[in-house]
Amino acid sequence: MADEQKIVKVYFLNDDQQWETLGKGHVSAVERHQGICLLVRSEPDGIQILESKIDPDTPYQRRQGTLIVWSESENHGMAMSFPDAASCHEIWKAICQVQGKDPSTDITQDPLVESEDETLDDMTDDVLELPNCELGKLDQIAHLVASVLTSPPHKERLALLMGNEDFIQKLLQLFHMCEDLEDTEGLQNLHDIVKGMLFLNQASLLEILFSDKYIMDVVGCLEYDPALAQPKRHREFLTQKVKFKEVIPIIDQALLQKIHQTYRVQYIQDILFPIPSIFEENFLSTLTDFILLNKSDIVNMLQENDEFLSTVFAQLRDTTTDDDTRRELLFFFKEFCAFSQTLHSANRNALFKTLTQLGILPALKISMGINDLQIKSAATDIFTYLVEYSPSRIREFIIEDRESEGILFINLVIEQIFCDPDPELGSAGHLMGVLRALLDPNNMVTASSHCERSEFLRFFCKHSMNNFIAPLLSTTKAYIRDKDNIVGSDENNKNCLNNYRTAQLLALILDLLSFCVQHHTYYMKKCILNKDLLRKVVIVINSKHTFLILCAIRFMRRIVGLRDELLNCYIIKGNFFEPVVNALLENGTRYNMLNSAIVELFDYIRMENIKSLVAHIVEKFYAKLKSIEYVQTFKGLKVKYEQEKELTNQLTKNLCSVLYSKVFCRGSSVLEEEEERSIDENVKKEAVKSPPESDFEIEEERSIDENIKKEAVKSPPESDFEIEKTKENEDKVDLPSKTSFGDFKCTSSHSADAADETSNPNPTRVICLVDYSDDEEEEEDETPPSKRPHLSP
């Protein structure tokens, strides 16, 4: 079933056999009451207007492709009017499906009651019949026009009947007759007729009404609004008070006519129909399209006139042009740019290319440097249009401008922001949006030979950043730094921060700086550190204006969000959280945007567990913040801090334990292996010796073997030092005492060692502090002592 809702108008047949409107709403075919129902709910509030079950035996009829008629009971006819045939067909299919009929037919059952059918035909025929254009029938024509405005098919039919020049000419002749006769009723009917004709939304009809021949008579008819006590004198204003200025004479008569027509039609739309009601919002769409097409035609005709535009720009680039002429030229070109907004993208790009070749940007630079408020304002508005056209081309010009003399073009734009005379800084806010568009990475060309992204950012930071943050620096320069606290120097500076216009300007600057921190991290990081920028920003937290404090908090939040440890150290060293904490405490328990912004800043640090900032906040400010219990943020910071502290202590203990086990408590199994390896090496050395030459040598070798066995059954040595002693005993060499491992002195003779073991039941063993592999290599490289001379037998 068709469940998509369609907008319809519902009619019913009253006791006088006349059709009356029941309401307007959305219709859908839904399953209800063990069948399919047509359900209509009103458009604004959803109140049910109609619920009609589709009876298999009820005759339904489709008329004109947009009207469905049926009878609920005797003498109780119903009708639904659809805005188009497609919507009507969807509901008609649902009806035919229930009754088992082919949707291509227009009648599902026997025809309707004859009287009802004739009444419906009369209603349709009345709409299509246009009374003669006579003075006595103006009220009938007005009533007819008003009655068809809710039915698109009827509007189209009536527009065809009225859309001929003969009818309009007769109608406007009646207007002059009524004015001569001072027929107020007739004039008011003519107002309703002409207004209704505009609401028919037919371009062909508007072309006739807005032609030079009839447009002033149309304006005259619209003067006599029945809702006004006295008619408005719009014709007098358009013909006598409005002056058309030609800064450069326009020779093309077709262009002149198009300009005049566009102005007058725009006047009708803005003055005579300023705020259409909810029922009229779509009635004037064709009027709007008519104006847009006219503006496009004007731009194209001017663009094709090369001589005209060349003359305009030649005067704008001429420094000797007087201010009055320059002002008028800029006003003209500002309106020209506004008209060009109606062009398609390709045509707009072609226009911008043409303007660039004619030298629009150098002309704007000259105009923005002139000390005239209106000239600067007009040049700024034109610059805004050009940035919307092609920000990349504007960036190219700004970079190329560094080679010229005088103030840079981008700095002139920044100066215009600061010099905005509007107390609310409306133009300044608009220009800040233009700067943001120039700095927006989404519309930057990243691989261009002329204007690379990094090149423009480097240029801006080098040549314009100081100019841009100058108001921030000048406002905060009177504040001094006293160790860990930022304090104000005097009351005058506080008053400067509390000035509303200054606060608004600083808020605009901070918003753009926050944008740059988010999108241009590398350049802004250098700027923040080199200019100590955050120190100046947190000073504005002393202002009484909450919106400015929020801008400062947002800027700091962007910096913290970078999670850059160098910037975190900068924040900690500068103690920049102190003004934030003070602002939170001064705000008290008020639940507002300031409270939420500050709590979110701390909560972000807690969730991301930025260790350095967590430790700084807890150690420095937890005593002040622990009383805040309506959120668990600060207790959570304390928990994070304690967990990190406990983890650090545990890691320290584990590290000490590992070092102790490696340095002081080497495993016994490792030492035993080293000892056995040493013994095996010594045995091998003795085995490769030359055969003994006498019994004395045999006896000597036996003595050595016994010593080896005695050493083998000893407790394993606890250090490399004792291994070294064993080697020396095996070689039967008496070496002088030496100093090793710093101040530890040891005697390596076998007899001394034995004596110590005998005299001291618990001998103190010398322990090697560090086991260096290089020591073993050095020992291996040492030359062994020479053997004793053999004794003759």
Side-chain angles (χ1 to χ4, degrees):
M1 291 298 148
D3 56 356
E4 184 179 357
Q5 295 186 341
K6 313 293 180 183
I7 298 178
V8 297
K9 194 167 185 179
V10 182
Y11 299 88
F12 70 98
L13 194 63
N14 61 19
D15 296 334
D16 297 331
Q17 298 299 302
Q18 298 294 326
W19 289 100
E20 292 186 7
T21 302
L22 185 61
K24 182 179 179 182
H26 295 279
V27 62
S28 58
V30 298
E31 294 186 8
R32 184 175 291 189
H33 306 305
Q34 298 180 352
I36 305 300
C37 293
L38 295 177
L39 187 65
V40 181
R41 294 185 179 277
S42 64
E43 188 174 1
D45 50 18
I47 298 176
Q48 181 172 306
I49 297 176
L50 173 69
E51 180 179 350
S52 175
K53 183 179 179 180
I54 302 176
D55 192 336
D57 299 324
T58 298
Y60 289 84
Q61 188 174 7
R62 181 172 60 176
R63 292 202 170 197
Q64 301 175 2
T66 59
L67 200 65
I68 297 178
V69 185
W70 74 98
S71 179
E72 292 280 289
S73 60
E74 188 176 357
N75 296 328
H76 188 68
M78 301 294 298
M80 285 194 300
S81 176
F82 293 80
D84 52 72
S87 302
C88 181
H89 184 66
E90 292 294 327
I91 300 299
W92 183 250
K93 283 199 305 183
I95 296 172
C96 291
Q97 185 175 352
V98 173
Q99 297 195 346
K101 301 294 182 179
D102 185 2
S104 62
T105 184
D106 290 333
I107 301 175
T108 61
Q109 302 289 341
D110 294 333
L112 298 173
V113 179
E114 183 177 355
S115 60
E116 180 183 68
D117 191 55
E118 291 176 354
T119 305
L120 185 61
D121 288 337
D122 291 340
M123 181 185 73
T124 306
D125 291 339
D126 287 343
V127 174
L128 298 177
E129 183 180 352
L130 183 63
N132 293 330
C133 191
E134 300 174 358
L135 188 62
K137 294 185 178 181
L138 289 177
D139 57 340
Q140 297 180 23
I141 299 174
H143 177 74
L144 175 62
V145 173
S147 65
V148 303
L149 294 179
T150 57
S151 175
H154 297 161
K155 285 172 58 177
E156 294 179 6
R157 294 174 186 272
L158 183 60
L160 292 175
L161 293 175
M162 303 180 75
N164 62 84
E165 190 169 353
D166 291 339
F167 177 83
I168 294 175
Q169 185 176 8
K170 292 178 181 179
L171 189 70
L172 295 178
Q173 287 176 354
L174 291 177
F175 165 69
H176 289 291
M177 186 183 300
C178 289
E179 275 202 321
D180 294 338
L181 297 175
E182 297 183 356
D183 184 356
T184 304
E185 183 180 357
L187 291 170
Q188 292 178 349
N189 285 328
L190 284 167
H191 170 275
D192 294 340
I193 293 171
V194 172
K195 183 177 180 180
M197 292 172 70
L198 296 178
F199 283 167
L200 291 178
N201 254 358
Q202 290 296 320
S204 58
L205 188 58
L206 295 183
E207 288 286 350
I208 301 173
L209 291 173
F210 295 149
S211 62
D212 290 342
K213 185 177 181 180
Y214 300 119
I215 188 169
M216 295 309 296
D217 290 338
V218 170
V219 173
C221 291
L222 295 174
E223 290 179 354
Y224 294 94
D225 188 349
L228 300 176
Q230 294 293 330
K232 299 291 185 181
R233 298 183 178 275
H234 298 297
R235 286 172 293 174
E236 180 182 340
F237 175 81
L238 290 173
T239 55
Q240 299 179 16
K241 295 184 178 180
V242 172
K243 301 298 181 181
F244 178 68
K245 295 181 179 179
E246 289 184 89
V247 183
I248 303 295
I250 299 176
I251 303 175
D252 189 349
Q253 292 300 316
L255 176 59
L256 276 176
Q257 291 178 358
K258 186 71 70 173
I259 293 174
H260 290 313
Q261 183 190 55
T262 304
Y263 178 82
R264 291 164 181 170
V265 177
Q266 187 79 59
Y267 180 86
I268 291 174
Q269 185 185 46
D270 295 341
I271 305 302
L272 302 179
F273 303 107
I275 305 176
S277 66
I278 58 174
F279 303 105
E280 302 172 349
E281 57 184 359
N282 295 322
F283 288 169
L284 296 175
S285 59
T286 305
L287 177 62
T288 303
D289 293 340
F290 183 90
I291 296 173
L292 295 179
L293 289 174
N294 267 19
K295 290 180 177 180
S296 298
D297 292 340
I298 293 172
V299 172
N300 291 330
M301 294 170 75
L302 287 172
Q303 186 178 356
E304 293 171 359
N305 192 340
D306 296 334
E307 183 179 354
F308 180 84
L309 290 180
S310 299
T311 305
V312 171
F313 287 114
Q315 293 195 26
L316 285 175
R317 290 195 307 272
D318 188 358
T319 55
T320 61
T321 302
D322 63 275
D323 290 351
D324 292 337
T325 303
R326 186 180 300 276
R327 188 182 305 110
E328 296 300 329
L329 287 170
L330 288 173
F331 286 163
F332 162 78
F333 196 72
K334 175 183 174 181
E335 192 168 2
F336 175 80
C337 291
F339 281 15
S340 65
Q341 297 290 316
T342 62
L343 297 176
H344 295 295
S345 178
N347 296 335
R348 203 159 53 233
N349 292 335
L351 173 63
F352 180 79
K353 185 177 180 180
T354 302
L355 297 179
T356 304
Q357 293 173 350
L358 292 172
I360 177 62
L361 293 174
L364 286 182
K365 182 181 178 181
I366 295 172
S367 299
M368 293 183 72
I370 294 176
N371 189 22
D372 184 281
L373 184 60
Q374 290 183 324
I375 291 177
K376 282 187 174 183
S377 178
T380 301
D381 292 338
I382 296 171
F383 176 69
T384 302
Y385 286 122
L386 298 180
V387 172
E388 292 177 1
Y389 288 160
S390 178
S392 60
R393 181 64 191 92
I394 299 299
R395 282 191 287 266
E396 289 180 17
F397 174 77
I398 290 173
I399 293 176
E400 294 169 358
D401 186 55
R402 63 186 169 188
E403 305 297 335
S404 62
E405 298 179 357
I407 303 177
L408 294 176
F409 181 67
I410 185 67
N411 291 338
L412 285 174
V413 176
I414 294 174
E415 181 182 340
Q416 183 68 16
I417 294 175
F418 301 154
C419 297
D420 185 7
D422 183 5
E424 297 294 332
L425 296 181
S427 298
H430 189 62
L431 274 179
M432 280 293 184
V434 174
L435 281 182
R436 181 181 294 236
L438 291 173
L439 293 168
D440 191 349
N442 294 327
N443 58 33
M444 282 189 174
V445 180
T446 57
S448 172
S449 58
H450 300 291
C451 183
E452 202 171 24
R453 168 180 171 176
S454 58
E455 184 182 3
F456 179 77
L457 293 175
R458 193 161 49 244
F459 171 85
F460 183 81
C461 291
K462 180 179 179 181
H463 298 283
S464 301
M465 183 59 77
N466 286 337
N467 298 60
F468 182 70
I469 64 175
L472 176 64
L473 300 180
S474 62
T475 304
T476 59
K477 67 180 180 180
Y479 279 77
I480 60 173
R481 171 98 172 137
D482 182 14
K483 292 184 179 180
D484 293 333
N485 296 314
I486 299 174
V487 296
S489 62
D490 55 26
E491 193 67 26
N492 291 332
N493 199 66
K494 290 183 179 180
N495 292 336
C496 185
L497 279 177
N498 292 335
N499 179 271
Y500 180 72
R501 189 184 185 281
T502 302
Q504 276 195 317
L505 181 59
L506 294 180
L508 292 174
I509 294 173
L510 290 178
D511 280 341
L512 189 59
L513 288 176
S514 300
F515 175 83
C516 292
V517 169
Q518 182 180 4
H519 295 284
H520 307 299
T521 304
Y522 172 75
Y523 295 97
M524 285 305 299
K525 178 181 176 181
K526 292 176 60 178
C527 178
I528 291 169
L529 296 176
N530 293 339
K531 301 182 184 301
D532 199 11
L533 190 57
L534 185 56
R535 185 184 310 277
K536 281 78 174 178
V537 172
V538 296
I539 288 175
V540 305
I541 296 179
N542 295 313
S543 173
K544 70 176 183 179
H545 298 290
T546 305
F547 67 87
L548 179 58
I549 301 174
L550 286 171
C551 291
I553 298 298
R554 278 196 295 270
F555 180 75
M556 190 171 185
R557 170 65 175 80
R558 294 295 186 194
I559 295 177
V560 172
L562 298 178
R563 303 191 64 180
D564 186 286
E565 198 56 35
L566 181 59
L567 290 175
N568 292 343
C569 293
Y570 167 67
I571 293 173
I572 294 170
K573 184 178 179 181
N575 194 30
F576 298 142
F577 274 106
E578 183 175 6
V580 179
V581 172
N582 293 338
L584 177 63
L585 296 176
E586 290 176 5
N587 189 63
T589 58
R590 291 189 292 272
Y591 181 62
N592 50 24
M593 290 184 66
L594 178 60
N595 176 277
S596 299
I598 296 177
V599 170
E600 192 277 335
L601 171 62
F602 288 111
D603 202 50
Y604 174 81
I605 296 172
R606 177 189 64 83
M607 290 189 297
E608 297 297 326
N609 196 18
I610 306 177
K611 297 180 176 59
S612 57
L613 296 183
V614 170
H616 172 68
I617 293 169
V618 173
E619 292 173 358
K620 192 84 174 177
F621 307 109
Y622 185 71
K624 297 180 180 179
L625 298 173
K626 65 181 180 180
S627 60
I628 298 178
E629 298 181 349
Y630 54 84
V631 290
Q632 299 301 311
T633 300
F634 303 107
K635 289 185 178 180
L637 286 170
K638 179 69 171 177
V639 171
K640 291 280 187 183
Y641 175 76
E642 295 294 344
Q643 289 175 349
E644 184 65 24
K645 188 176 181 181
E646 182 180 354
L647 179 60
T648 302
N649 293 337
Q650 187 63 36
L651 289 175
T652 303
K653 290 179 181 179
N654 292 343
L655 181 60
C656 292
S657 176
V658 170
L659 291 175
Y660 180 81
S661 63
K662 286 189 174 294
V663 176
F664 299 101
C665 304
R666 300 188 62 184
S668 59
S669 60
V670 176
L671 295 177
E672 288 178 0
E673 291 177 1
E674 292 179 355
E675 183 180 8
E676 291 175 0
R677 186 165 56 252
S678 177
I679 294 172
D680 292 341
E681 290 175 357
N682 290 328
V683 170
K684 290 178 182 179
K685 288 179 182 180
E686 294 297 330
V688 297
K689 285 182 179 181
S690 59
E693 299 178 1
S694 64
D695 294 336
F696 181 81
E697 285 188 346
I698 295 173
E699 187 66 20
E700 185 179 26
E701 289 174 0
R702 287 177 181 173
S703 176
I704 291 173
D705 291 337
E706 290 176 359
N707 287 332
I708 291 173
K709 292 178 181 180
K710 288 180 182 180
E711 292 297 328
V713 298
K714 281 183 180 182
S715 60
E718 298 184 5
S719 68
D720 294 339
F721 182 74
E722 291 194 2
I723 296 174
E724 185 180 348
K725 287 190 358 181
T726 305
K727 290 181 180 179
E728 294 171 354
N729 289 334
E730 291 170 357
D731 294 335
K732 301 296 289 182
V733 179
D734 293 333
L735 298 175
S737 63
K738 66 177 181 179
T739 303
S740 62
F741 308 108
D743 296 332
F744 293 94
K745 293 183 179 182
C746 309
T747 303
S748 59
S749 65
H750 177 72
S751 59
D753 186 83
D756 289 340
E757 290 182 2
T758 307
S759 61
N760 190 357
N762 298 313
T764 302
R765 301 187 181 275
V766 180
I767 301 173
C768 179
L769 295 179
V770 183
D771 185 13
Y772 294 106
S773 59
D774 295 337
D775 294 342
E776 296 178 358
E777 295 176 0
E778 291 175 2
E779 291 174 3
E780 292 176 358
D781 293 340
E782 290 178 357
T783 304
S786 59
K787 293 173 60 177
R788 292 181 181 180
H790 296 293
L791 299 177
S792 340

